[in-house]
Amino acid sequence: MKNIIKSVAYELKKTKAIRVTFIVGLLFMLLEGLLNIDTTSSSMAHNASQLVADISVSNIMVLIFIAAVLVGYMCCGDFRDKVVNYEIMSGHSRAEVFISRFIPAVLVSAFLVTVLQFSVMLPGIIMYGWGNAISLGDVIIRNMLIFFPIMRICAFLVIISFIVKSQYLMMAVGYGVFTFLGFIQQLEIDRLNFVTGFSNINLLCDYSGWSTYNLDPVDGILKYTSYNSSVTSGMIIWTIVVSLLVTAFYMFVGYSLFRRDELN
């Protein structure tokens, strides 16, 4: 299995499409962080901390689409080139073939998506400063925790990639997931819990507090908002434990399906 992992790692390093996908995602996140701050507008964020509190989970749907594309390129290419068939015929077990792709695809994709999640803050911090709407330390902890629900989502996407066996179909899957999550978000269901990866991300990205309005003789109606960014021990423990358990379950399901695959 070690040789397969080395082969997969080498393939990841030389696959240009993975780098291009990450760079495009990075540019999108930096642009989002830049365009959503306006110090002259009362309805937009004035610094990076307000931006993070206001955008909530909106950019995560785009990142899940990017995760689907990354997983597709990491897992599906070897089916097209019949590399998987060769590995099995050369004496490797199906468990070795599957796990050697499942683990790198899940960890690398989740790591890259987590990096992109952090990058949205950079333009605001550089140009306008962090501000004091929410604690930077809390945001860092929450964004690091996002790695775990993203990991379980990537694990599910790996299962899909082993079924469709095409990176182009994985793009369609990513768009479908993006559309579905947007629908779920509009209906405001599946929120703020640990049941699904997306609802767990919703919980980690939720900085809701309270808002009030006041009248100013010059500026008119002013809105004052207080955010809550505190991180509880329960949030940390349940995010990690549930995500690891679900990821392990997806690995079992994925292998069960791959074991019976005729690989035509």
Side-chain angles (χ1 to χ4, degrees):
M1 188 165 70
K2 185 185 298 184
N3 292 333
I4 300 178
I5 293 177
K6 288 181 179 179
S7 175
V8 170
Y10 174 77
E11 190 68 25
L12 293 181
K13 287 190 292 186
K14 78 170 190 175
T15 302
K16 184 179 180 181
I18 295 177
R19 297 195 296 271
V20 171
T21 301
F22 177 77
I23 292 173
V24 170
L26 179 62
L27 292 176
F28 177 86
M29 299 303 290
L30 293 176
L31 189 63
E32 181 180 14
L34 182 64
L35 297 180
N36 284 282
I37 297 180
D38 186 354
T39 57
T40 64
S41 173
S42 60
S43 61
M44 296 183 67
H46 292 178
N47 50 57
S49 62
Q50 287 183 347
L51 170 70
V52 172
D54 289 342
I55 63 174
S56 183
V57 77
S58 60
N59 61 315
I60 290 294
M61 292 181 289
V62 177
L63 294 182
I64 291 175
F65 169 76
I66 293 173
V69 177
L70 291 172
V71 167
Y73 279 111
M74 291 179 191
C75 295
C76 297
D78 289 341
F79 286 103
R80 180 192 59 197
D81 300 333
K82 302 296 182 180
V83 174
V84 173
N85 302 59
Y86 172 77
E87 290 171 350
I88 293 175
M89 289 188 295
S90 63
H92 294 286
S93 68
R94 291 209 174 203
E96 291 175 333
V97 172
F98 177 79
I99 295 173
S100 297
R101 285 172 173 80
F102 180 90
I103 294 177
V106 168
L107 294 182
V108 172
S109 299
F111 172 77
L112 293 179
V113 169
T114 304
V115 171
L116 293 178
Q117 171 66 9
F118 272 100
S119 65
V120 73
M121 303 185 297
L122 295 180
I125 293 176
I126 294 172
M127 299 182 63
Y128 304 101
W130 175 251
N132 58 5
I134 51 180
S135 166
L136 177 59
D138 290 343
V139 172
I140 291 175
I141 294 174
R142 284 172 177 255
N143 280 356
M144 291 176 66
L145 286 173
I146 284 176
F147 171 86
F148 293 96
I150 285 291
M151 179 178 67
R152 63 193 277 196
I153 292 173
C154 290
F156 174 76
L157 292 171
V158 169
I159 296 177
I160 301 300
S161 70
F162 269 75
I163 294 174
V164 302
K165 301 181 178 66
S166 168
Q167 55 263 53
Y168 304 109
L169 286 178
M170 284 303 297
M171 294 181 187
V173 169
Y175 179 76
V177 172
F178 172 85
T179 304
F180 175 74
L181 292 179
F183 177 73
I184 292 296
Q185 188 71 10
Q186 288 183 345
L187 294 180
E188 295 188 352
I189 59 179
D190 192 34
R191 290 178 58 83
L192 307 183
N193 55 62
F194 304 98
V195 176
T196 68
F198 186 61
S199 61
N200 198 162
I201 294 172
N202 263 317
L203 178 65
L204 294 173
C205 293
D206 179 59
Y207 298 96
S208 59
W210 54 267
S211 298
T212 187
Y213 294 87
N214 197 3
L215 291 176
D216 185 271
V218 177
D219 298 324
I221 299 177
L222 297 178
K223 180 181 180 181
Y224 297 93
T225 304
S226 175
Y227 300 99
N228 178 21
S229 65
S230 60
V231 182
T232 65
S233 58
M235 181 186 295
I236 296 174
I237 294 172
W238 281 107
T239 294
I240 295 174
V241 171
V242 173
S243 295
L244 291 177
L245 290 175
V246 173
T247 300
F249 173 74
Y250 283 151
M251 183 168 67
F252 171 77
V253 172
Y255 169 66
S256 298
L257 295 174
F258 178 67
R259 187 180 60 181
R260 296 171 174 84
D261 196 331
E262 296 180 0
L263 298 177
N264 292 327

